[in-house]
Structure formats: structure tokens, C-alpha cells
Amino acid sequence: MIFQKRSFYNQELIWEGDLTDDCYAKWRGLLLRAEWMKGDFWWWSVYDLLNKEKQIDSSNNYYPETFKNGKLARSAAVQIAKNYLKEEIALEFKNNSNSFKLEEIISKIKDVGFSSERIFWILIQDFGIDYQTAKKLTLSKNR
């Protein structure tokens, strides 16, 4: 299970390098990069270091918005990384649903950095949990 391997890379997401030009962050076995290209255009990308450095996504792919500063580029890379990890957790759950408890799933998703409100919707949309159960497990306990 790949997400369990990522627990060894549970470091805080910290951007290193020059935040005004070229920077990177290594987080949970992922590499996030952001780089100022020219004018007001920033490039970003996310790679999976535990999967032969496979590129997960980058601003080279079609995005309707432009990334006009480093903060926007870094934010886009972080969001892609978090969603990638969420999808990885969902896939592991679907492949091994008998061995997972919902509290464990919630803990893993929260550990990635999603808010309780977002976890509520993730449980419904990605895990097929009914509304009342998702509410009981996330919002009512104010996790």
C-alpha cells in the first residue's frame, strides 16, 4: 500500500529555495516545484518520487487561469499534491475496504491537510459514505 509508505515522509510541507524565482518542496514522497519563467508567468509541477518520479501534473497542462506569481503557483502545486494523495487513499480504501475503518480514513485525509468540512464532502463524493454518517463522523465532532 503506497500511502502507508508515504507515512515515512510525513514531514511538514516547507518550500525551499528562492520563493521569488525557483523553489521546491519535498512532501510525503512528492516533489513540488514552482519557477518564475518570464514576465508574470509562473510554472509549477508535482512529481511522485515513490513512483519513478512520475509527473502528476504541471501548469504545462491546460488550466484556464494563469499563475501570475509564486504564491499562486505554489498553491496550485499544493492542491494538486493533496488531491493526488486523497485519490491514493480512496484507491487503497476501494481495494481493501474490509481492512479499513472510517476513522482511519478520516485520520489519513486530515493528516494530508484537509479541513473537517472538506473531509465531510470527500467522504460523500469519493468514498460513497451517506450524508448522515459523514456528518456524524466529521462535522458534529468538530474534528
mmCIF file of all heavy atoms in Angstrom, residues 121-137:
data_model
loop_
_atom_site.group_PDB
_atom_site.id
_atom_site.type_symbol
_atom_site.label_atom_id
_atom_site.label_comp_id
_atom_site.label_asym_id
_atom_site.label_seq_id
_atom_site.Cartn_x
_atom_site.Cartn_y
_atom_site.Cartn_z
ATOM 1 N N TRP A 121 -17.216 16.307 2.671
ATOM 2 C CA TRP A 121 -17.580 16.151 1.259
ATOM 3 C C TRP A 121 -16.770 15.053 0.587
ATOM 4 O O TRP A 121 -17.277 14.337 -0.276
ATOM 5 C CB TRP A 121 -17.444 17.474 0.514
ATOM 6 C CG TRP A 121 -18.521 18.424 0.923
ATOM 7 C CD1 TRP A 121 -18.387 19.562 1.666
ATOM 8 C CD2 TRP A 121 -19.929 18.285 0.677
ATOM 9 N NE1 TRP A 121 -19.610 20.143 1.886
ATOM 10 C CE2 TRP A 121 -20.576 19.377 1.283
ATOM 11 C CE3 TRP A 121 -20.698 17.338 -0.003
ATOM 12 C CZ2 TRP A 121 -21.952 19.562 1.235
ATOM 13 C CZ3 TRP A 121 -22.072 17.525 -0.060
ATOM 14 C CH2 TRP A 121 -22.682 18.609 0.556
ATOM 15 N N ILE A 122 -15.521 14.880 0.979
ATOM 16 C CA ILE A 122 -14.701 13.798 0.422
ATOM 17 C C ILE A 122 -15.309 12.446 0.766
ATOM 18 O O ILE A 122 -15.382 11.552 -0.079
ATOM 19 C CB ILE A 122 -13.244 13.900 0.938
ATOM 20 C CG1 ILE A 122 -12.542 15.099 0.298
ATOM 21 C CG2 ILE A 122 -12.471 12.613 0.675
ATOM 22 C CD1 ILE A 122 -11.193 15.438 0.925
ATOM 23 N N LEU A 123 -15.757 12.285 2.014
ATOM 24 C CA LEU A 123 -16.376 11.017 2.415
ATOM 25 C C LEU A 123 -17.599 10.704 1.565
ATOM 26 O O LEU A 123 -17.818 9.558 1.166
ATOM 27 C CB LEU A 123 -16.764 11.057 3.900
ATOM 28 C CG LEU A 123 -15.612 11.028 4.898
ATOM 29 C CD1 LEU A 123 -16.155 11.187 6.310
ATOM 30 C CD2 LEU A 123 -14.800 9.752 4.765
ATOM 31 N N ILE A 124 -18.382 11.709 1.270
ATOM 32 C CA ILE A 124 -19.590 11.515 0.467
ATOM 33 C C ILE A 124 -19.234 11.265 -0.998
ATOM 34 O O ILE A 124 -19.695 10.284 -1.600
ATOM 35 C CB ILE A 124 -20.535 12.733 0.605
ATOM 36 C CG1 ILE A 124 -21.080 12.802 2.036
ATOM 37 C CG2 ILE A 124 -21.674 12.672 -0.412
ATOM 38 C CD1 ILE A 124 -21.811 14.090 2.368
ATOM 39 N N GLN A 125 -18.419 12.135 -1.572
ATOM 40 C CA GLN A 125 -18.144 12.085 -3.006
ATOM 41 C C GLN A 125 -17.166 10.990 -3.409
ATOM 42 O O GLN A 125 -17.351 10.338 -4.426
ATOM 43 C CB GLN A 125 -17.626 13.440 -3.485
ATOM 44 C CG GLN A 125 -18.664 14.532 -3.350
ATOM 45 C CD GLN A 125 -18.081 15.928 -3.548
ATOM 46 O OE1 GLN A 125 -16.879 16.141 -3.458
ATOM 47 N NE2 GLN A 125 -18.960 16.888 -3.795
ATOM 48 N N ASP A 126 -16.115 10.797 -2.635
ATOM 49 C CA ASP A 126 -15.062 9.859 -3.030
ATOM 50 C C ASP A 126 -15.185 8.472 -2.399
ATOM 51 O O ASP A 126 -14.650 7.514 -2.934
ATOM 52 C CB ASP A 126 -13.685 10.436 -2.685
ATOM 53 C CG ASP A 126 -13.367 11.677 -3.488
ATOM 54 O OD1 ASP A 126 -13.332 11.582 -4.721
ATOM 55 O OD2 ASP A 126 -13.167 12.748 -2.884
ATOM 56 N N PHE A 127 -15.852 8.398 -1.254
ATOM 57 C CA PHE A 127 -15.944 7.121 -0.560
ATOM 58 C C PHE A 127 -17.350 6.552 -0.511
ATOM 59 O O PHE A 127 -17.568 5.472 0.000
ATOM 60 C CB PHE A 127 -15.375 7.263 0.863
ATOM 61 C CG PHE A 127 -13.893 7.487 0.884
ATOM 62 C CD1 PHE A 127 -13.377 8.766 0.800
ATOM 63 C CD2 PHE A 127 -13.016 6.420 0.961
ATOM 64 C CE1 PHE A 127 -12.009 8.982 0.797
ATOM 65 C CE2 PHE A 127 -11.652 6.622 0.966
ATOM 66 C CZ PHE A 127 -11.139 7.911 0.879
ATOM 67 N N GLY A 128 -18.336 7.322 -1.005
ATOM 68 C CA GLY A 128 -19.702 6.830 -1.044
ATOM 69 C C GLY A 128 -20.368 6.704 0.314
ATOM 70 O O GLY A 128 -21.318 5.935 0.480
ATOM 71 N N ILE A 129 -19.891 7.460 1.288
ATOM 72 C CA ILE A 129 -20.475 7.423 2.626
ATOM 73 C C ILE A 129 -21.749 8.268 2.620
ATOM 74 O O ILE A 129 -21.779 9.339 2.017
ATOM 75 C CB ILE A 129 -19.475 7.975 3.673
ATOM 76 C CG1 ILE A 129 -18.123 7.243 3.584
ATOM 77 C CG2 ILE A 129 -20.047 7.927 5.080
ATOM 78 C CD1 ILE A 129 -18.175 5.770 3.822
ATOM 79 N N ASP A 130 -22.778 7.796 3.274
ATOM 80 C CA ASP A 130 -24.032 8.555 3.291
ATOM 81 C C ASP A 130 -23.881 9.840 4.112
ATOM 82 O O ASP A 130 -23.011 9.962 4.973
ATOM 83 C CB ASP A 130 -25.190 7.702 3.821
ATOM 84 C CG ASP A 130 -25.041 7.373 5.294
ATOM 85 O OD1 ASP A 130 -25.529 8.163 6.124
ATOM 86 O OD2 ASP A 130 -24.425 6.329 5.601
ATOM 87 N N TYR A 131 -24.741 10.790 3.806
ATOM 88 C CA TYR A 131 -24.684 12.140 4.373
ATOM 89 C C TYR A 131 -24.662 12.125 5.896
ATOM 90 O O TYR A 131 -23.820 12.772 6.519
ATOM 91 C CB TYR A 131 -25.886 12.945 3.850
ATOM 92 C CG TYR A 131 -25.970 14.349 4.384
ATOM 93 C CD1 TYR A 131 -25.337 15.398 3.719
ATOM 94 C CD2 TYR A 131 -26.678 14.640 5.544
ATOM 95 C CE1 TYR A 131 -25.407 16.696 4.200
ATOM 96 C CE2 TYR A 131 -26.752 15.938 6.039
ATOM 97 C CZ TYR A 131 -26.116 16.956 5.362
ATOM 98 O OH TYR A 131 -26.180 18.230 5.851
ATOM 99 N N GLN A 132 -25.597 11.411 6.513
ATOM 100 C CA GLN A 132 -25.703 11.411 7.979
ATOM 101 C C GLN A 132 -24.466 10.827 8.645
ATOM 102 O O GLN A 132 -23.986 11.346 9.651
ATOM 103 C CB GLN A 132 -26.968 10.659 8.428
ATOM 104 C CG GLN A 132 -28.256 11.380 8.107
ATOM 105 C CD GLN A 132 -28.319 12.763 8.743
ATOM 106 O OE1 GLN A 132 -27.828 13.006 9.839
ATOM 107 N NE2 GLN A 132 -28.925 13.700 8.022
ATOM 108 N N THR A 133 -23.946 9.739 8.080
ATOM 109 C CA THR A 133 -22.742 9.128 8.652
ATOM 110 C C THR A 133 -21.551 10.067 8.518
ATOM 111 O O THR A 133 -20.788 10.247 9.462
ATOM 112 C CB THR A 133 -22.441 7.778 7.967
ATOM 113 O OG1 THR A 133 -23.576 6.920 8.125
ATOM 114 C CG2 THR A 133 -21.214 7.113 8.556
ATOM 115 N N ALA A 134 -21.401 10.675 7.338
ATOM 116 C CA ALA A 134 -20.301 11.613 7.121
ATOM 117 C C ALA A 134 -20.402 12.792 8.085
ATOM 118 O O ALA A 134 -19.404 13.223 8.666
ATOM 119 C CB ALA A 134 -20.299 12.101 5.679
ATOM 120 N N LYS A 135 -21.621 13.287 8.278
ATOM 121 C CA LYS A 135 -21.833 14.409 9.199
ATOM 122 C C LYS A 135 -21.464 14.007 10.618
ATOM 123 O O LYS A 135 -20.765 14.732 11.328
ATOM 124 C CB LYS A 135 -23.285 14.876 9.127
ATOM 125 C CG LYS A 135 -23.582 16.067 9.996
ATOM 126 C CD LYS A 135 -25.016 16.511 9.814
ATOM 127 C CE LYS A 135 -25.335 17.678 10.727
ATOM 128 N NZ LYS A 135 -26.738 18.089 10.600
ATOM 129 N N LYS A 136 -21.919 12.842 11.024
ATOM 130 C CA LYS A 136 -21.641 12.349 12.381
ATOM 131 C C LYS A 136 -20.134 12.179 12.614
ATOM 132 O O LYS A 136 -19.617 12.517 13.677
ATOM 133 C CB LYS A 136 -22.350 11.008 12.582
ATOM 134 C CG LYS A 136 -22.108 10.359 13.916
ATOM 135 C CD LYS A 136 -22.849 9.036 13.999
ATOM 136 C CE LYS A 136 -22.324 8.222 15.148
ATOM 137 N NZ LYS A 136 -22.777 6.840 15.093
ATOM 138 N N LEU A 137 -19.432 11.688 11.605
ATOM 139 C CA LEU A 137 -18.006 11.412 11.758
ATOM 140 C C LEU A 137 -17.102 12.641 11.651
ATOM 141 O O LEU A 137 -15.990 12.634 12.156
ATOM 142 C CB LEU A 137 -17.557 10.394 10.693
ATOM 143 C CG LEU A 137 -18.078 8.979 10.890
ATOM 144 C CD1 LEU A 137 -17.796 8.138 9.658
ATOM 145 C CD2 LEU A 137 -17.450 8.349 12.125
#
